[in-house]
Amino acid sequence: MACCNMRTRVAHVLPFFQPEHPDVNGSDDTGFHRREEGDVPPEVICLGETMALMAPESGGPLARAELLRLRVAGAESTVAQYLSDLGHRTAWASRLGRDPFGARVAAALAGSGVDTTLVGYDEQAPTGCYFKDPAPEGSRVHYYRRGSAASRMSAADARALPLDGVRLLHLTGITPALSASCAELVDTLLTRAAEAGVPVSFDVNHRAALWEPGRAAPVLRELAARADTVLVGRDEAEELWGTTTAEAVREHLGPRGTLVVKDGAVGATEFPVPASASEPVFVPAPAVDVVEPVGAGDAFAAGYLSGALRGLPSRERLLLGHRLAARTLRSLDDYVPVPAAERGPPPHRDEPPTGEH
């Protein structure tokens, strides 16, 4: 969307966006939709909140901005968009307010090729939004998401989510921090996925603005222990658990599945499934002139997970993660579409989502 003067033009622009949803009679449609018989299931489901993001068009401080640019952003939906770019049938599951921001989010995801039929709409709660405040030492964000439509998701939504035929369910540590009912949602999803034999990837993604490390640390550790693939930043692991190296993170978490520790500009390390005889694999990050680091971790996750879904060896998965992260690091946007010429061959959908080949 083109930039707009928030003081005078937003009210004139936003009402033109209408919810991309077949139910337009004003009913409260908050649940996930069941697939019709014969529908092809998504290969991947990414579940979590996506919000309207407003940031200064100039890239300067929010307090002095005259023009704000409206975008959409969410950790899980960014992963979904990149996976869709890379040829995976990907669905995003969430809840939006039946409002202009919700319409904007749904349209952006659908426009990226992401299946949005698993999105519910809430008449009583708004779509969350946040503002980015750029600064030389790093951007700060100001959330306006308390009581949002997504924060009202619950275990009932988890029980309704169709998992048949799904090869991977992607979750993050953001969702359980949104509300008590969202924490129950994640707990129920992990149980259902285990029962259905659907692998789960879990990106720790600690957000200090949502919950302080002391409260988040034990919860995120327990959730990581239940996932098949865990992704975590070395810096956030140090803040949460006091671990200072990738090896220390591995020892502390002791996950039952694959662990990937991302260490910013240094590189990323994959620790294989504990029962495997494989050794850890480290791949250094390429040199990048960083414009904005926000969103790079989600891009890395998408690249790595695409490699796993394709059955690529560990090194190639990590390299693909680095390549996607570099795209985001060079931009102010969380999601930078991958040109068709750079997407590579389509994935073979009968390959296992994890394991060495």
Side-chain angles (χ1 to χ4, degrees), residues 137-200:
E137 63 275 14
S139 296
R140 295 185 62 188
V141 294
H142 301 271
Y143 292 120
Y144 297 86
R145 70 197 306 178
R146 189 184 302 275
S148 69
S151 73
R152 287 156 54 112
M153 290 189 292
S154 69
D157 294 303
R159 289 189 289 270
L161 189 69
L163 294 178
D164 291 347
V166 174
R167 296 183 63 208
L168 182 69
L169 173 64
H170 181 67
L171 305 172
T172 79
I174 299 171
T175 305
L178 298 179
S179 65
S181 67
C182 280
E184 293 172 357
L185 165 83
V186 173
D187 177 70
T188 304
L189 279 173
L190 285 166
T191 299
R192 278 202 64 215
E195 293 171 349
V198 175
V200 174

Side-chain angles (χ1 to χ4, degrees), residues 69-212:
R69 182 183 176 200
L70 174 62
R71 292 172 283 174
V72 304
E76 302 86 357
S77 62
T78 296
V79 172
Q81 288 175 300
Y82 277 122
L83 285 174
S84 178
D85 279 357
L86 295 176
H88 302 279
R89 293 191 307 273
T90 308
W92 172 62
S94 190
R95 192 181 295 184
L96 295 168
R98 193 177 288 282
D99 53 35
F101 285 145
R104 176 65 176 171
V105 170
L109 270 292
S112 300
V114 175
D115 180 349
T116 59
T117 58
L118 298 179
V119 177
Y121 290 82
D122 195 324
E123 294 280 0
Q124 308 302 319
T127 303
C129 65
Y130 72 105
F131 292 76
K132 183 182 289 187
D133 187 12
E137 63 275 14
S139 296
R140 295 185 62 188
V141 294
H142 301 271
Y143 292 120
Y144 297 86
R145 70 197 306 178
R146 189 184 302 275
S148 69
S151 73
R152 287 156 54 112
M153 290 189 292
S154 69
D157 294 303
R159 289 189 289 270
L161 189 69
L163 294 178
D164 291 347
V166 174
R167 296 183 63 208
L168 182 69
L169 173 64
H170 181 67
L171 305 172
T172 79
I174 299 171
T175 305
L178 298 179
S179 65
S181 67
C182 280
E184 293 172 357
L185 165 83
V186 173
D187 177 70
T188 304
L189 279 173
L190 285 166
T191 299
R192 278 202 64 215
E195 293 171 349
V198 175
V200 174
S201 55
F202 180 74
D203 194 331
V204 171
N205 247 327
H206 174 238
R207 294 290 189 268
L210 294 177
W211 50 353
E212 66 279 3

Side-chain angles (χ1 to χ4, degrees), residues 60-74:
L62 185 60
R64 297 201 296 269
E66 292 289 335
L67 301 175
L68 299 181
R69 182 183 176 200
L70 174 62
R71 292 172 283 174
V72 304

